[in-house]
Amino acid sequence: MARERKWILKEPADPEKVGRLSAELGIDRVLADLLVKRGVETFEQARSFFRPNLNDLHDPFLMKDMDKAVDRVRKAITTEENILVYGDYDVDGTTAVALVYSFLRRYSSKVDFYIPDRYDEGYGLSFKGIDWAADNGFELIITLDCGIKANEKVEYAAGKGIEVIICDHHLPEDTLPPAVAVLDPKREDDTYPFDDLSGCGVGFKLVQGYSQKFGIPFETLVPLLDLLVVSISADLVTMAGENRVLAHYGLKRLNECPRKGLDAMITLSKLEKGHLTIDDIVFKIGPRINAAGRMESGRLAVELLTASDEHFAIAIGEQINASNNDRKNIDREITQEALDMVQNGSALSCGAATIVFNPMWNKGVVGIVASRLVEAFYKPTIVLTKSNGFITGSARSIVGFDLYEAIESCADLMENFGGHVYAAGLTLKEQNLDEFVTRIEKFISSKLTPDMLTPFTEIDASLEFSQITPKFFRLLKQFQPFGPGNGNPVFQTENVSDGGNGRKVGAGGVHMKLDLIDEKQPFHQIPAIAFNMSDYYEYIKAGNPFDICYSIVENYYRGNSTLQLRIKDIKERDEFI
């Protein structure tokens, strides 16, 4: 199973800058070091970091083609054209569709939305979707979170008298689709100051641009930000720059006044409104919304996210929640089958990559299964099944390895592929499967280094428990919202032990709750949770010392808030003797 993790303590920031900032802000040097590492070196930068401001959002017209997109939407609204808002079936796509559809519906009654069927149509703009648009008299399609590679489909739409505006955030190919406007900050010829928006984020810039040009107050867009923070969190885009500002205000909206559909998801997820974090979206709300597209139809997710009636929202929410429970059961079964394949040698590859295939697996969960296999074997992983006569599947990578590049090297064998460095999807003909496995295994083995195959945890700083004061934690909380590029800091403390109340918790006792002390403060206990680490229980229960790396979180339970260490890894002290 997974290899032992290596701990890497990050190099401290420039001590002179840290000292200056620590003195200027009157904060602990550890916190000042964390800020300098995030590019925050002055009082003004710290104020901007700790107090995100919507006035700091970039002008949407800095994005290439924004003027064309806004003018084309204006024409469609004023001449009462039928507008179809079209998006992918995952969280980013469905939140994007809900956001743009909700906005346009304020100004036009001739707007509808379309989510492709994962099993029948697959990812992105489809011929079937375009035919449906043509049959129903739509003259403009706005794609969200997809379309950047849909050159042939955009031409097909034009042949049916339909124009297309593309809003996407994936990497484009050399030739852009012949659309009316292509909004994508990753375009090579785009100089937009921030290129890691989510698909929903690009949709938001479109409605921001429309509002700015036609005198609609920005305040009317604020109710859309709860959708945007769900997208930013679930799609794991960088939590810096514009995303951090949008996520900050989106999280505020989600906690204080969420739309009815998200309120239903919060209730069904058993979360405490007012105390929601990015983690709650990533691990509780996002997977439930995703389950609609995995198990039934992504259209359900948009109906949930645009619901104006509370009872309707709860009914759809319960349906989606049931789908999520089904998804979990199927995911567990397939994961076990895939693990067995690797262990009994029946996988397509167990070399540099893990590649497994079963034509009967559910296409909707193969991405989750790929992530589980990465956790188990820590190698680039591809999980394949069969759908509509093609081999199709999902790929997940490990830190430092560009799996998208590996898949792209086999582009001639593909019917379709897309994604990012660490996550991608692909479709190919069955007769190309053997050659694909041979070639991609060879490509991956030529690029992987031994260092890449060792999982690691990066540690921001060493702490003693005496440093974790109420003031320290109060300031640390203001580093939120956390996400890629602004992760919840990870600390290490050496030579700790359990105060005697440690116990196993969770179904099957796989987790541990501990009350920790360090050798320098034996009477000061700090509560901790260690998920899936009960293998260490007997060692810890015997009173043995150990080292931990952890993040510091706020734990809410029945209205009470307590500080808690969320342990990421444990090392027994005798390993160092």
Side-chain angles (χ1 to χ4, degrees):
M1 297 298 277
R3 303 182 186 195
E4 183 182 318
R5 300 186 77 83
K6 185 175 168 186
W7 294 10
I8 300 174
L9 184 62
K10 291 180 185 174
E11 288 290 322
D14 182 327
E16 195 175 312
K17 290 178 180 176
V18 169
R20 191 163 55 239
L21 190 64
S22 172
E24 204 171 346
L25 300 179
I27 62 172
D28 189 295
R29 281 187 69 96
V30 171
L31 293 171
D33 177 80
L34 294 174
L35 286 170
V36 172
K37 284 174 180 166
R38 284 160 171 73
V40 177
E41 297 180 7
T42 66
F43 182 87
E44 283 305 313
Q45 287 173 336
R47 183 163 61 183
S48 179
F49 180 80
F50 286 126
R51 302 284 181 271
N53 194 318
L54 288 167
N55 292 328
D56 293 335
L57 295 180
H58 302 303
D59 181 349
F61 289 95
L62 294 173
M63 195 177 290
K64 191 86 172 174
D65 279 6
M66 182 61 75
D67 50 346
K68 295 177 188 173
V70 163
D71 289 345
R72 183 63 187 87
V73 172
R74 182 67 168 182
K75 179 191 169 205
I77 290 173
T78 55
T79 61
E80 297 191 336
E81 288 181 90
N82 291 316
I83 307 168
L84 187 64
V85 183
Y86 187 114
D88 190 22
Y89 38 70
D90 67 2
V91 179
D92 193 13
T94 52
T95 52
V97 167
L99 187 149
V100 174
Y101 173 72
S102 298
F103 176 82
L104 292 177
R105 203 167 50 169
R106 299 174 192 170
Y107 308 103
S108 170
S109 60
K110 304 275 182 107
V111 58
D112 201 352
F113 65 87
Y114 188 98
I115 305 290
D117 183 272
R118 179 189 286 264
Y119 302 98
D120 184 33
E121 297 166 80
Y123 169 82
L125 188 58
S126 70
F127 291 115
K128 182 179 177 180
I130 294 164
D131 287 342
W132 187 90
D135 292 345
N136 288 277
F138 287 92
E139 296 139 285
L140 176 65
I141 294 175
I142 302 172
T143 75
L144 292 150
D145 190 35
C146 62
I148 197 62
K149 293 183 176 183
N151 299 48
E152 190 182 350
K153 316 263 177 63
V154 172
E155 286 176 13
Y156 181 76
K160 289 183 171 283
I162 301 171
E163 292 191 310
V164 179
I165 293 170
I166 290 168
C167 301
D168 204 348
H169 69 134
H170 296 96
L171 282 166
E173 292 183 332
D174 293 340
T175 305
L176 295 174
V180 175
V182 178
L183 304 182
D184 187 334
K186 289 190 175 73
R187 282 177 61 164
E188 275 200 21
D189 59 348
D190 198 320
T191 55
Y192 189 73
F194 186 75
D195 73 352
D196 201 28
L197 291 166
S198 64
C200 186
V202 178
F204 180 79
K205 298 310 290 189
L206 173 62
V207 303
Q208 185 193 357
Y210 186 92
S211 301
Q212 192 171 304
K213 182 158 185 180
F214 298 109
I216 299 166
F218 183 87
E219 291 69 36
T220 65
L221 303 182
V222 171
L224 301 172
L225 295 180
D226 57 356
L227 290 168
L228 193 44
V229 72
V230 171
S231 140
I232 289 168
S233 307
D235 218 52
L236 299 175
V237 288
T238 311
M239 195 64 77
E242 200 162 33
N243 281 343
R244 189 165 181 273
V245 175
L246 292 166
H248 174 87
Y249 285 93
L251 205 52
K252 183 175 162 62
R253 183 82 190 178
L254 193 65
N255 275 300
E256 294 174 0
C257 188
R259 65 192 50 241
K260 288 180 171 57
L262 288 175
D263 201 19
M265 283 289 95
I266 291 164
T267 302
L268 288 162
S269 303
K270 296 182 170 60
L271 294 169
E272 193 166 343
K273 196 159 65 178
H275 302 292
L276 299 170
T277 65
I278 298 297
D279 273 1
D280 291 326
I281 299 172
V282 172
F283 296 112
K284 298 289 181 74
I285 296 172
R288 283 172 166 80
I289 295 171
N290 245 338
R294 291 185 192 282
M295 306 302 293
E296 291 190 54
S297 165
R299 189 171 177 90
L300 262 183
V302 180
E303 287 174 359
L304 172 81
L305 297 171
T306 56
S308 55
D309 178 81
E310 184 179 343
H311 298 294
F312 181 61
I314 289 169
I316 299 177
E318 286 173 345
Q319 193 177 343
I320 288 174
N321 201 48
S323 290
N324 188 51
N325 290 332
D326 292 343
R327 187 272 305 165
K328 283 195 234 178
N329 291 331
I330 292 168
D331 152 24
R332 271 193 291 268
E333 287 171 19
I334 295 177
T335 298
Q336 191 54 56
E337 288 174 22
L339 287 167
D340 291 345
M341 276 184 175
V342 175
Q343 285 158 348
N344 67 27
S346 61
L348 295 180
S349 173
C350 300
T354 302
I355 306 176
V356 290
F357 168 57
N358 183 325
M360 304 308 294
W361 284 341
N362 184 307
K363 180 184 173 186
V365 302
V366 291
I368 299 169
V369 174
S371 297
R372 302 265 191 270
L373 296 185
V374 171
E375 287 172 18
F377 304 110
Y378 207 69
K379 293 177 184 177
T381 298
I382 302 171
V383 178
L384 301 167
T385 186
K386 200 167 181 181
S387 179
N388 293 331
F390 290 98
I391 304 293
T392 184
S394 288
R396 297 291 182 268
S397 196
I398 58 176
V399 176
F401 186 80
D402 187 343
L403 191 51
Y404 182 85
E405 181 192 19
I407 292 168
E408 194 174 36
S409 74
C410 302
D412 57 305
L413 301 173
M414 302 284 173
E415 297 301 301
N416 194 12
F417 69 96
H420 306 283
V421 170
Y422 295 122
L426 60 141
T427 302
L428 67 158
K429 289 177 179 168
E430 192 159 7
Q431 61 260 37
N432 290 338
L433 179 59
D434 290 344
E435 189 180 349
F436 168 73
V437 171
T438 301
R439 275 175 48 184
I440 201 158
E441 167 70 28
K442 185 177 178 184
F443 184 95
I444 291 171
S445 62
S446 73
K447 300 276 186 177
L448 271 181
T449 64
D451 279 352
M452 287 181 194
L453 290 168
T454 304
F456 63 89
T457 298
E458 279 196 309
I459 295 167
D460 291 277
S462 291
L463 274 187
E464 293 175 7
F465 283 172
S466 60
Q467 292 174 271
I468 307 174
T469 63
K471 180 184 178 184
F472 182 93
F473 185 52
R474 192 171 64 249
L475 285 163
L476 189 64
K477 280 197 293 183
Q478 293 179 45
F479 280 60
Q480 297 183 62
F482 295 127
N486 182 45
N488 192 350
V490 177
F491 303 106
Q492 73 173 13
T493 301
E494 297 180 343
N495 206 15
V496 305
S497 57
D498 181 60
N501 295 319
R503 62 196 187 279
K504 293 182 184 181
V505 296
V510 295
H511 314 311
M512 290 188 296
K513 271 197 169 178
L514 306 168
D515 287 309
L516 297 179
I517 54 176
D518 72 10
E519 58 172 356
K520 295 179 180 172
Q521 273 198 312
F523 302 109
H524 176 59
Q525 295 191 355
I526 297 187
I529 183 80
F531 292 113
N532 299 306
M533 294 188 199
S534 60
D535 288 352
Y536 290 99
Y537 180 69
E538 294 303 327
Y539 176 89
I540 290 170
K541 188 183 174 188
N544 292 309
F546 52 99
D547 296 346
I548 55 169
C549 64
Y550 57 91
S551 51
I552 308 173
V553 299
E554 202 161 9
N555 184 44
Y556 288 96
Y557 185 66
R558 293 181 179 172
N560 294 318
S561 162
T562 54
L563 180 153
Q564 186 181 61
L565 308 186
R566 186 173 293 163
I567 296 176
K568 294 185 168 293
D569 201 9
I570 291 172
K571 286 193 188 293
E572 298 174 2
R573 285 295 291 179
D574 60 13
E575 292 173 9
F576 301 96
I577 295 170

